[in-house]
Each structure stands twice: as structure tokens, then as C-alpha cells.
Amino acid sequence: MALRLAIFLLSAAALAYEILLTRLFAIVQWHHFATLVISLALLGYGASGTFLSLARKFLLRRFGSAFLGGVLGFAVLAPGCFLVAQRLPFNPLEIVWTARQLGQLALLQALLALPFFCAATALGLAFVRFRGEIAEIYRADLLGAGSGCVLVVAALTILPPGDCLLVVSAAALLAAAAASLDRRLRAPRWAGALLGLAGAAIVAWPLAALGGGPQLRPSEYKGLERALRVPGARVVLERSSPLGLISVVESPRVPFRHAPGLSVAFAGELPEQLAVFSDGDGMAAIDRATAGPGGGEYLDYLPTALPYEVLSRPRVALVGAGGGGEVLGALRHGAAGVEVVERDPGRLALVLEDFREFAGDLYRRPGVRLRAADPRGFFAGTGERFDLIQVAYVDSSPGGAAGVYALKESYLYTVESFRTLYGRLAEGGLLAVTRWIELPPRDGLKLFATAVAALEAEGVARPEESLVLVRSWDSLILLVKRGTFSGGEIAAMRRFCEARYFDFGYYPGMAAEEANRFNVLDGPLYFDAATRLLGGGRDELFESYKFDLAPATDDRPYFFHFFKWRSLPELFRLRGQGSPALVEWGYVLLVAALAGAALAGFVLILVPLALRERAAGRRAGRAAPRAGAAAMGAYFLCLGLAFLSIEIAFLQRFVLFLSHPVYAVALVLAGFLVFAGLGSGLSTRWRAAWRRWSGGRGGLRISPIDAAALGVAALGLLYLVALPPLLERGMGWGLAAKGAAALALIAPLAFLMGMPFPLGLERVAAVREEWIPWAWGLNGWASVLAALAANLLAIHLGFSAVIAVASALYLGAAAAMRGVRGPP
């Protein structure tokens, strides 16, 4: 019992560490690099299988010391390796120009792999040592991993991210202390001291929360770090939550001047501003309150002021609070009411509480209402209609950060999202989406293509009469009207744009010579592309354009993915002219990481294990390895690929459904792991019950493994068809109801997914005990490959394809296990 508790705690610590690293690296680097680094670091799980295979006898003779050494190694290395890793001179944006950064990346991954290697070695050793308890051990492993999801989110809610490393370490120390109480381990004398060490670590948590915990060192290339290099600039407030790290900066000597798209015709002064950063990037600004009912004359010279030229006293919904500037602009332009929909309550609190006086009590002004909610969930659930829904620079970044968001999923810029927002417009209302300009044009063109697809899906007969695109020198705004633009509205917008030197990219009836007048590009690029998207040349444009402009969907929510492989040679030839900045390097690195993981696993896992199997075969008088070895390897490779692929695909589905990404991740991952753990614990009873049932029906030639795999595949394919409409119907439910529904839908699939691994491992143990480390290492390697390959497949074919492939892999795993001769 004590050993299973230790495995539970160790698995909780390892999974919590994995999730925590994504949060930490999102702060010190960027999110998509965090995903790639951690995926490869998990090769430590695969490499542990090789180590166990090579040193199995040595470790089994010293099981107590080896197990505790692995647990203690994780407890020490988890915080230690991260603190060392963030001091490496690694700049992911520089990989494009210098091969030296590839070496730094490899060193970073090796450092992060060490803690996972220690944890996986301890867990794998338990499977080898207690092979008669495989189902129970795997249950403790999965239940612990599920609990780790909840643990890390709870820790991030009350502690700064760096201090959460101590929580992970303390959980691992408690695991070591629990293991030392199991008599079968024959723990060494020093093990008792771990109880005191674990207790001291727990007591240290409150002290860490006061500022004594590990300090983060963000990249010097992130916006926050650049802002702090200005003389006199300092952080005046920092707030952490699972949704992000918010930093507020003041710069009294060199004032901030944040006004995206501000017209060159504006001759006035901007008010004093405080800068707001999320995870060290994505700057917004809080304006000091100025005289007048609305304040902020400069707001009239922004692209976001355009909708108010055609709307009178609109009822407005603003997606994303920013620093409150859009609220100020709406009030200045006579909005009858303003609904602020912001995912992160911490951002709302900045203007509502922390800097209330500085912002002139902006969020308590008459007509302003605040909603802490995900936009998709809010608009799906509300019955209200709005005259203007404005999405201003949400998940948007200036050109200097090109490629940073390439792997980022966004359910705000999909065709389905635009349809939802369009459906919440009053008759004659406007959807206004503002983004930074990227050159050559791609972001704005994909935005326009998404709007066209959404209007067509809504049954709008002439979408060309409902769209307007306007650009300033560095940003653009797209207007989508529920109805058609009148001649008077077009004339009003033309006067607005001419007075501010803004260019039209498109409006109904526009002539080509009206484009490209003030902010001159190499031809009327936006107008030409817009007319082709609205006319018969859309498919040809998608095919011939050097960037991917196809609209994103909920099944493929990669709005920021523009990369085309056939453009890479040309961009490479032009690298001396700055072309590397045009490449979505996050995507390229994903492909490189997948190739690297495959090669590393082949060298570190497959080759050593195959050589060892061949040597064992020769000692037994055989010229080649047993035929069952390849079948066994295929089984656990398929299983690892399939399990994590399904988990990733369903996670994305439920993130949209639950409308709260961080807590959705915790709930869905915990649900999958906990129910899979319950399935694992009952797998032995399942096998016995299946034998009795099948034996009473003439001896069905379907094993318990076959039955579990068929069940998973059938449910996966059923959900593939039934899940989207089910989730669509429930989008407007309350969070508690949606959470309960998510767990109810996950439970049967996850329960069956928990059975094939212990059933297969038990058969392997019965056939040949030495294969257990093989199985453990190959399963770990497959999980790394799945984490990368599933994202790559989703980018190109969608998450539905990921589920279909994973279902087929379960069937392939069952077929492969038939080649392993042993008890069914």
C-alpha cells in the first residue's frame, strides 16, 4: 500500500511538473517553444526503458535504493534543472540565423529530460519488480497523474509560478517518504530522513510565497524586458494566475506611447500611460483619466473609431479588456452601453481596483458591465444582441514577433466563431476585428477569407455587400455587417479615412485605383486578394499564394499558421534580405522536433534494445530475436501513440466547450487519467469476466485486449460524429453543468483506454519478463512522438483526423499483440 501511495505521489509530481513547465516557459520564452522543449524532454521516459533493460538485474538487487534514488533525483532535479536551464544563453528567435542556438536547444532539452528520466526509472522499476501487481501499479500511476493536473492548477492559483517548483519537489519528497515505509523496499537508513525533509519543504511554501522562491529570468527579447531597459521604468504590480502572469510597468522619464494604428494626422499628445504585459509580452496600456466626458482625443484617430461613423449610440460588446482603452473609446463615441468580455479576471481587476483612480474609475461608469468569461462561451450562452461587437488586437502581435503564434490554437478566429458573433448582432449591427498588419499580407487576408466563409455559411447571398476592410500604416480593421452597407455609410467611412490617411482595402463597389493611396504598398494587394476571395478565384488564390490563407475552423483552429513548404526554398534564398522573419518557425521546429524525437528514440531506445534482444537470442541458441519481440514493440508503440493522440484531440474539443482553457485542461486531463486509472485497476477482473462470457459463447476468438481496443476504437469513431453537435448544444450551459457533462462523456472512453496497457504488460511479463523495460521505454517514446505528430496532423487535417488515426492505432495494437504468444 505504501509503495502504491509513493507511485501515486510521484506520478502527480511528474505530471504537475510537465504542465508547470509549459507555464514557466511561456513566461521566460514563448508558448510554442515550451511545448516543443517539453515534448522532447519527455524522451527521458523512453530512455529510462533502455536503462532499465541494460541494468535490470543490478537495479533489482538494490531495488529499495534504486527506487528511492529515482524519486529523490526527481525531487532535486525538477527545480534544479529548470533554474540552470533558464540561465542558458538560448534565444529561440535566433535559431534562424545561427546553428549555435541548436546546440543550446539540445542542452536545454537534455537538462529537462533528467528529472523525467529519474521519475520514469522509478516507475518502470516498480513494474519490473512487482509484475504481479501491474494493474494496481498502473492504476496508482494514472490516478496520481490525474491528481497532479489538479495540484498544479491549484498551486498556480495561490503561488507565483516559480514557487510552484517547490510544490512539485515537496510532492516527490513525500513520495520518497511513503516508499520508505514499505517493508518490501528494504529502504536504506538514510531514507527516514526524507520525512523530515518533506515536512520542511511543506513548511517552506508560505515563505516562498513571500518572495523567497525561485526567480524567473525572461528572455531579453520579450516586450517586458525591453520596456524595463528604459531608464526609470519599473514594475509597479505583478499578478499571477493559471491564465498568465500580468505585469504593470510605469515609465516616468520616457513615457509610453501605445496607440495601435494611430493616424499620422494626429497632432496632439497621448495621455500618461501604464503598460500592461501578459507573460512578458502582448503590451496593452491603461490611460490616465483626462478631462471631458470621455477623454482621449487620440481615440478619434484610431482605426477602432471607424464603426462609430456608421452607428449611433450603439450597444457595444468588447472582446478583451486590454487596458480599458476600447471602453474609453466606446464611451467617448456615445455608446449606449458597453459589455466587456474578458477571459482573465486579473485584467479586469487592474482597472476596476488596482488602478481605479488612475483610470478615472472607468469600469464603474454608467453603462459599463464586466464579464469574466471566454468570448465563445459568453456569446453562445447570452440571448442579448449588440449593435457592435469589437475584437481589438486579441492574440495579436506586431510584425517583430512573426512566427511566435504559429502553433497557437485560437477558437476566436475560426469560421464557427465568426458565425457565433454574427448571430449575436442586431439587425444592421457590425462585427469589427482589428489586427496588426503583417507584410507581405497574410493575417488580414486570412481574416477576410474567414469572414467570407462565415457569411456564406450563414446563407448571406451577397457577402461582398457586407464587408469593409481599412488599413492604417501598421494595423487594419475588418467590418462585417448584418445587412448591407448603404451608400451613405460608405461615404461617411470615406470621409473618416481620408481625414486620417487610412487606406481602404475593400468596400462594396470600390475601384482598384482607390486602393493604396496613402500607405503605399507594392500594388493594391489587399484589394486584389479581397476581390478574388469574393469572386471565382478563391481556390486559385489559396493554391498560388505563398502563404496559407485558408480559413481556420474549430477542427483546425490554427489561424496563425501561414506556412507553406513550397515557399521555403524562396524564403531561404532571400534570407539575407530578412526573409527568416516571414517564416512561422514554430511550425518548422515542430517538424524538426518530430524528426529529432524519432531519431533520438531510434538511437537511444530501439537500437540498444534490439541489440540486447539479439544477444539474448544468440545466448539461447537462436540466430535472431524472438518473433514476438517485434509484435510486442509494435503493440506498445501503437498504444502510446494512440492514447496521447486521443487525449490531445479531446482536450482541444473540451477546451472550446468549457470556455476556460486552463481549468478545462486540468479537468479533461484529470478526467482521462483518473478514469483510465480506474479502468486499469479493474482490468484483471475484466479479463476474467471476458473469459467467462466468451467461453460461454462457443469460445469467441476475441481476447480481452481485443475487446478493450475495439471498444476504444468504436467509441472514438462514435464521438467523432456525435461529439461536435452535442457540445454545440451545451455551449451556453453553466460551467458546473458543462464540467459534469465533459466528465460523463470522457468516462467510458477513458475507462476502456486504461485497460490495454496493463493487460498487454501482464501478457509480456508472462511470456518474457525482460521485455517489461522494452514495453515501458517504447510506450514512453511513443508518447513523445504522439505529442508532436498529433499537433502536426491537426494543423493539416484537423483533430477529427487525429481521433480517426488514433482509433485505427488501437485496432493495430490489438492485431500486433496476437503475435505475442502467451496467456490471453
Side-chain angles (χ1 to χ4, degrees), residues 221-245:
Y221 298 96
K222 301 198 80 171
L224 174 60
E225 295 304 300
R226 294 200 305 268
L228 291 176
R229 287 199 289 270
V230 175
R234 67 185 185 94
V235 175
V236 294
L237 181 144
E238 203 162 65
R239 174 179 290 121
S240 176
S241 78
L243 292 170
L245 177 66

Side-chain angles (χ1 to χ4, degrees), residues 35-36 60 86 137 192 232 251 280 283 451 489 494 513 586 600 659 705 728 755 794 796:
T35 303
L36 298 180
L60 286 177
Q86 69 168 344
I137 291 174
S251 181
M283 178 180 165
E489 291 172 335
R494 290 179 66 179
E513 55 268 19
S659 303
I705 291 176
E728 183 66 29
M755 292 184 177
H796 291 283

Side-chain angles (χ1 to χ4, degrees), residues 18-41:
E18 182 181 346
I19 295 176
L20 178 60
L21 282 178
T22 64
R23 186 88 284 282
L24 293 172
F25 271 96
I27 296 170
V28 301
Q29 295 289 347
W30 284 273
H31 172 72
H32 68 278
F33 286 104
T35 303
L36 298 180
V37 167
I38 294 161
S39 295
L40 286 177

Side-chain angles (χ1 to χ4, degrees), residues 356-423:
R356 174 182 174 182
E357 183 177 345
F358 183 91
D361 212 7
L362 178 62
Y363 283 175
R364 286 187 170 86
R365 294 188 186 182
V368 177
R369 292 198 302 174
L370 308 179
R371 303 283 189 176
D374 179 82
R376 286 287 298 272
F378 170 77
F379 287 109
T382 184
E384 299 182 65
R385 291 184 178 269
F386 302 91
D387 302 304
L388 173 63
I389 298 176
Q390 193 161 56
V391 182
Y393 304 103
V394 177
D395 288 335
S396 186
S397 179
V404 167
Y405 295 109
L407 300 182
K408 180 180 175 64
E409 304 96 341
S410 174
Y411 290 100
L412 184 59
Y413 297 106
T414 65
V415 173
E416 294 87 346
S417 175
F418 273 41
R419 294 184 66 184
T420 298
L421 298 179
Y422 183 83

Side-chain angles (χ1 to χ4, degrees), residues 85 199 373 601 635 675:
Y635 177 81
F675 285 115

Side-chain angles (χ1 to χ4, degrees), residues 256-264 266 270 273 282-287 298-306 322-323 325-326 390 392-394 396-398 434-437 470-477 496 502:
F256 290 111
R257 293 289 183 263
H258 183 73
L262 182 65
S263 168
V264 295
F266 179 68
L270 268 65
Q273 294 179 327
M283 178 180 165
I286 302 174
D287 289 356
Y298 81 95
L299 296 167
D300 299 339
Y301 290 82
L302 299 178
T304 48
L306 178 62
E326 301 309 322
Q390 193 161 56
Y393 304 103
V394 177
S396 186
S397 179
T434 316
R435 297 193 60 78
W436 296 95
I437 283 178
V470 170
R471 64 181 177 87
S472 72
W473 63 279
D474 71 339
S475 65
L476 58 81
I477 183 169
F496 175 89
F502 292 163

